[in-house]
């Protein structure tokens, strides 16, 4: 018998967030945090509204983030590599390219992905961007992000009608930031918002991040416009960072966070992570440059990675049907690329993921996945591979639970302890390839009955 | 609400095959066929027995296939590329390498994969091979195949004890072949046996194939030895074929059959397809050589492909929890490799597979998968891609049901017809890449609640 799922990582009660206009509503979800206004970076302001894109009346579905700094704002983006790029992805890429990495803010909508929408879709995405830029009388462009059903046009008149409401209500309060996180949501069960504060070259720097997860079941009542998975995120900081350096730091952070999670291995047409740096922390600071200040760059990059990692993990915890948060750690690899390939293969294996759901210490499936990783034939030596489960720090005994050592199965495995370790919400699979010193972590969730229920639902 | 699975493609009642010693027991499964003795190739004989490897008393778990031809027997193999190769895989590869593609037969066991078993496992696999070769006083080697749980040693004494029973009971009857198919089974719900007869250079050639599917839940009561997925198959023919030509034809056939199916994308440590050709159809025929007789080679290769395709499809129909048999046809590709990559990506997408389970014409998920196929960025033009569902021939109206044409979604999709087409057991997704003339088919099944139940089961 499969186990009865004890409880989903996603708090079902928090689905009320879809129609909640504010975080003032009490909630029990431990993944939601409320921050004081001072936690947010200086000279960024945000606003959200209901523009009628989501079907649920009053649900926030249009958001704006703008730099109010008098210094130029650097902007960077990591975007989907899917061939079918949504219109907002194209517009954002074009804007960043032509401006050399400067942009004053972002307009985003949920409820409609503006993907596979042809010329009309592209025109609409440009109208969203220009509507904000003109409304703010800004001399910096406005980036665009969309998420929701694909194959449908955005209701552009509604959006243009709502833009003045956004531009005239920009503020930086606990509530305005929380509302922006709500506006990002599609099938997420809780809003995702995190902040950071750190010292950089004698200045206090603040950073805020919002993201949304790879939910699939955007309720769509009409003809086909199918549900659609998208990972969207934005990070804003008041550090002063030169555009190329910001792009470099963001790519580093995204590779080790958003690019290191997988819920079901599918890559959306809209996936986008943006980062803005407006220099408002200090009027005098010169823009951080990785070439001239490598030490400062390393501090900034690592803080960005840390925030991105936290945001990315929230998406996994909110994964469809997830009952387990699974960390796949691959160490002892000859190269970072090799470790990544092995870790991603394990984390994407339906057999490994169903075994985690079943709380089954099934090292055979893990080993199998290691063995068919890309390029495994030329890079992995079977007799040097070890596999263990690392119990979470919440357990009394955190000794690694070894199942395979140098290619040989452990004898006399303690099934009681196996059950205890795998019974935890957080499971860490540790694979040591025994051929180097590189290490990579990838995060995923299990495959549950609820996953099938959610994604197998007929759209009606 | 997800649909209630109407009926699994796997007939649960046929699980009784596990303990049935013969196909004499009536069964209702339309995938099981009984052939007359004349349907089998000349001068091959088989035997099966219960050697106590499977826990179920009396279940056939050891099988032998031997050529009794007085001509040399050619043998070819396509084997797993998994780094963690099981002992029998190594032994079979060594034997074929040293003999230049000649072998007199095959010993196979189910119930234990002899994988991750170190030196002892390798020694045991050699003992199985040599036990048969000596027992038959053959001057050709005996190949080995194993399937079942991994990390456990085969009970080699039991096997050696049973070998004389096999060698003294070799025959070619309807029952002996059916029993060999039963001995191959692990979690399969029905035995898989097919035959072919065709003309080659004026001779009547017979061909028989047996395979087993990628079942995962070999019941294992002891400590960890985890359940294990394996695809095993053997094809025997009385054609006379030169070893290199046989290998070439087998690789061609396997690429278009067994390598073109996916149940969950995992590649086992034991996957093996063997082919034997003993030349017994005619004492005078020279061995077929692809260089000197390309026309004959093409006939043979295509018959082999056709048989392999039928055997491979049986595995998909017996896929764990499968309620749908899904054909992914990618046409209009610039190259065969490109078509294969796209088709495999679609067929492996959990989102596509859950949509098929939910009978959802979700072209967005299909398009997404096309867009993130390997090398899609450099090979696929979004505006030339079309997607349709091809209704099966059992439907009255077999007009392709178009959902996307040249990158533009179809307007006014008929939801009633969508439901009818996707309500069928057999679903065909047709993707036209619009950039060439190459075509590939990949077969898969859906992802159902039962898949999760089967693979999420704790081993106890």
């Amino acid at each position: 018998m499969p186990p009865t799922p004890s409880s989903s990582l996603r708090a079902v009660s928090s689905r009320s967030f879809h129609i909640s206009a504010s975080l003032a509503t009490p909630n029990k979800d431990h993944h939601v945090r409320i921050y004081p206004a001072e936690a947010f970076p200086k000279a960024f302001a945000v606003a959200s509204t209901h523009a009628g894109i989501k079907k649920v009346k009053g649900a926030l579905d249009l958001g704006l983030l703008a730099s109010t700094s008098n210094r130029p704002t650097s902007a960077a983006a990591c975007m989907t590599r899917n061939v079918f790029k949504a219109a907002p992805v194209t517009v954002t890429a074009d804007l960043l390219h032509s401006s050399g990495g400067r942009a004053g803010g972002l307009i985003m909508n949920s409820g409609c992905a503006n993907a596979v929408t042809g010329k009309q879709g592209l025109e609409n995405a440009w109208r969203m961007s220009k509507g904000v830029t003109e409304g703010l009388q800004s001399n910096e462009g406005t980036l665009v992000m969309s998420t929701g059903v694909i194959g449908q046009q955005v209701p552009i008149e509604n959006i243009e009608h709502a833009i003045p409401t956004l531009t005239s209500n920009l503020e930086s309060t606990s509530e305005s930031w929380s509302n922006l996180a709500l506006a990002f949501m599609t099938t997420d069960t809780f809003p995702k918002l995190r902040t950071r504060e750190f010292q950089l070259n004698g200045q206090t720097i603040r950073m805020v991040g919002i993201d949304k997860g790879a939910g699939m079941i955007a309720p769509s009542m009409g003809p086909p416009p199918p549900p659609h998975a998208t990972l969207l995120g934005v990070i804003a900081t008041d550090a002063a960072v030169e555009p190329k350096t910001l792009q470099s730091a963001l790519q580093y952070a995204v590779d080790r966070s958003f690019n290191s999670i997988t819920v079901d291995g599918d890559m959306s047409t809209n996936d986008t992570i943006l980062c803005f740096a407006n220099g408002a922390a200090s009027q005098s600071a010169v823009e951080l440059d990785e070439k001239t200040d490598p030490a400062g760059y390393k501090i900034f990059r690592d803080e960005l990675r840390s925030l991105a990692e936290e945001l990315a993990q929230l998406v996994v915890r909110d994964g469809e049907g997830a009952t387990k948060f699974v960390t796949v750690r691959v160490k002892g690899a000859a190269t970072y690329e090799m470790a990544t390939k092995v870790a991603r293969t394990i984390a994407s294996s339906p057999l490994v993921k169903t075994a985690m759901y079943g709380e089954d210490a099934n090292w055979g499936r893990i080993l199998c996945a290691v063995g068919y990783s890309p390029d495994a034939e030329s890079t992995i030596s079977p007799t040097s591979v070890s596999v263990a489960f690392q119990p979470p720090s919440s357990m009394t005994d955190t000794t690694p639970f070894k199942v395979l050592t140098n290619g040989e199965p452990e004898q006399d495995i303690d099934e009681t302890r196996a059950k205890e370790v795998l019974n935890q919400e957080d499971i860490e699979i540790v694979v040591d390839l025994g051929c180097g010193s590189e290490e990579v972590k990838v995060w995923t969730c299990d495959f549950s009955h609820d996953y099938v229920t959610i994604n197998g639902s007929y759209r009606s």
Side-chain angles (χ1 to χ4, degrees), chain A residues 130-458:
Chain A
K130 287 174 181 161
V132 171
T133 308
E134 286 162 17
L136 291 174
Q137 298 181 297
S138 170
N139 48 22
E140 293 183 316
T142 305
L143 309 184
V144 191
M145 295 206 286
S146 299
T147 178
V149 297
I150 79 175
Q152 259 185 351
Q153 301 294 346
V154 291
I156 189 65
E157 284 77 19
N158 291 13
I159 291 173
E160 289 185 327
H161 184 76
I163 286 175
T165 312
L166 295 177
T167 53
S168 59
N169 282 288
L170 283 166
E171 54 180 5
S172 180
T173 63
S174 180
E175 194 177 349
S176 69
W177 283 101
S178 297
N179 281 344
L180 183 61
L182 286 170
F184 267 71
M185 290 168 64
T186 52
T187 58
D188 303 64
T189 63
F190 56 88
K192 300 170 182 68
L193 172 71
R194 288 292 183 269
T195 68
R196 277 283 186 291
E197 190 178 289
F198 58 98
Q199 298 297 311
L200 178 64
N201 296 339
Q203 299 291 334
T204 299
I205 301 294
R206 286 165 211 84
M207 212 179 245
V208 60
I210 286 172
D211 66 347
K212 70 163 292 273
M216 295 289 152
I217 41 153
S220 153
M221 308 300 164
H228 191 49
T230 289
L231 182 69
L232 290 189
V234 59
I235 293 172
T237 176
D238 50 19
V241 187
E242 184 275 327
K244 284 208 181 73
T245 296
L246 188 66
Q247 181 66 42
S248 163
L250 184 65
Q251 188 66 56
Y252 177 89
V254 168
D255 279 345
R256 285 152 184 82
S257 57
F258 296 102
N259 284 351
S260 294
I261 63 171
T262 169
V263 171
D264 47 27
D266 282 78
M267 184 203 285
S268 146
T269 51
N270 290 52
D271 293 341
T272 305
I273 308 294
L274 299 180
C275 186
F276 294 94
N278 68 0
S282 154
Q283 287 303 318
S284 58
V286 290
E287 287 192 329
L288 182 68
D289 189 310
E290 63 176 315
K291 292 197 192 89
T292 55
D293 182 6
Y297 171 69
K298 195 168 176 305
I299 291 170
F300 179 78
R301 184 191 77 173
D302 289 347
E303 291 288 344
L304 193 63
R305 183 200 56 72
S306 167
L307 177 60
E309 186 177 301
E310 195 173 349
L311 290 168
Q313 290 183 7
L314 286 177
V315 172
V316 175
R317 290 196 186 273
D318 204 8
E320 285 158 336
T323 74
K324 301 286 183 188
F325 178 82
V326 182
T327 303
V328 178
R329 180 150 71 101
V330 174
K331 60 180 190 176
T335 63
Y336 174 79
E337 289 65 35
M338 174 183 169
T340 302
K341 282 174 185 170
V342 172
R344 289 194 71 88
T345 305
I346 297 169
S348 304
S349 160
L351 289 173
V352 171
K353 288 157 76 85
T354 47
M356 294 303 99
Y357 176 58
E359 306 185 344
D360 181 358
N362 200 319
W363 58 263
R365 296 187 187 173
I366 297 168
L367 202 69
C368 244
V370 172
Y372 67 76
S373 304
D375 306 326
E377 280 184 290
S378 55
T379 54
I380 291 169
S381 160
T383 52
S384 63
V385 176
S386 303
V387 178
F389 292 94
Q390 175 61 52
S393 54
S394 56
M395 288 188 77
T396 322
D397 181 359
T398 58
T399 318
F401 182 71
K402 297 179 180 178
V403 285
L404 189 87
T405 303
N406 295 327
E408 295 281 338
E410 290 287 323
Q411 300 303 312
D412 307 318
I413 285 198
D414 179 349
E415 286 285 325
T416 311
R417 184 156 152 75
K419 209 158 188 169
E420 277 167 13
V421 171
L422 291 159
N423 192 33
Q424 306 295 309
E425 179 178 310
D426 287 21
I427 296 176
E428 182 170 336
I429 299 169
V430 184
V431 174
D432 188 341
L433 298 177
C435 59
S437 58
E438 288 290 332
E439 177 171 330
V440 157
K441 280 185 187 173
V442 164
W443 298 277
T444 189
C445 52
D446 56 341
F447 251 2
S448 68
H449 285 103
D450 278 0
Y451 177 85
V452 177
T453 302
I454 293 169
N455 285 300
S457 296
Y458 196 75

